[in-house]
Amino acid sequence: HPVPVVAAQAAQATVVLRDLQGNQVGMARFTDTGDGKVLIQADVVHLPPGFHGFHVHATGTCDPATNFNSAGGHFQKPGENNPHGDHSGDLPSLYVNADGSGVLTSTTDRFTLEDLFAEGQRALIVHADKDNFAHIPDRYGVTLDETTLNTGDAGGRIACGVIQRS
């Protein structure tokens, strides 16, 4: 079947994900679906097996000397001040298979492609640990600390890429 013209002309952005040693460990694509949503497609290799926090971060800088902390916190559209789990840049967790490979396909209406480039570039981060999306039920009787509230306990940053228009 021929590719529809609309899909061929859809606005896109791409990301090359690199680990702290500078090795390419994946690629991701953001595509405007034309209905107010963004399709996210990621394909990774050579990462530790299991679930990993996967987020758009506020600053488009991936400096391994800072353990990718140069990418700032999770992206929030201007004027938003939401807790983790509701940040504009919070995405579904990335699952990596035992062989180090993983694929994620998802859509979001939390941001548009234009939001990703408003006031500078953004980065895409793969975290070392699972993301609990700051969801710890009240029945556990614990007070959430800043780490849980800000990052969902997703841990360190193991891969980063600057989002580029394509």
Side-chain angles (χ1 to χ4, degrees), residues 46-52 94-101 128-130 158:
H46 308 302
L47 291 178
F51 283 103
H52 296 274
L94 172 67
Y95 182 75
V96 176
N97 297 297
D99 67 0
S101 69
D129 299 324
K130 298 175 186 176
I158 62 172

Side-chain angles (χ1 to χ4, degrees), residues 4-162:
V5 174
V6 173
Q9 295 176 347
Q12 292 188 344
T14 57
V15 181
V16 175
L17 292 165
R18 297 190 181 278
D19 65 16
L20 288 163
Q21 292 73 43
N23 302 307
Q24 183 173 331
V25 294
M27 299 277 301
R29 174 177 292 126
F30 295 80
T31 304
D32 183 339
T33 63
D35 61 356
K37 296 180 183 128
V38 174
L39 172 67
I40 300 123
Q41 298 167 293
D43 192 350
V44 299
V45 294
H46 308 302
L47 291 178
F51 283 103
H52 296 274
F54 191 62
H55 313 114
V56 174
H57 281 247
T59 306
T61 305
C62 292
D63 182 358
T66 69
N67 293 318
F68 300 139
N69 287 321
S70 57
H74 296 177
F75 168 62
Q76 295 207 64
K77 292 192 293 191
E80 291 188 352
N81 188 22
N82 298 320
H84 182 63
D86 291 322
H87 294 145
S88 305
D90 291 341
L91 299 174
S93 293
L94 172 67
Y95 182 75
V96 176
N97 297 297
D99 67 0
S101 69
V103 174
L104 177 135
T105 301
S106 183
T107 57
T108 186
D109 60 0
R110 291 185 172 185
F111 58 79
T112 65
L113 276 184
E114 290 310 311
D115 291 331
L116 294 178
F117 298 101
E119 302 175 9
Q121 290 179 297
R122 312 286 175 225
L124 185 63
I125 294 278
V126 178
H127 286 268
D129 299 324
K130 298 175 186 176
D131 186 340
N132 64 24
F133 298 99
H135 177 72
I136 298 176
D138 292 338
R139 70 178 183 268
Y140 293 139
V142 298
T143 301
L144 302 182
D145 63 18
E146 285 300 308
T147 302
T148 300
L149 290 172
N150 292 333
T151 70
D153 296 313
R157 302 167 185 201
I158 62 172
C160 183
V162 177

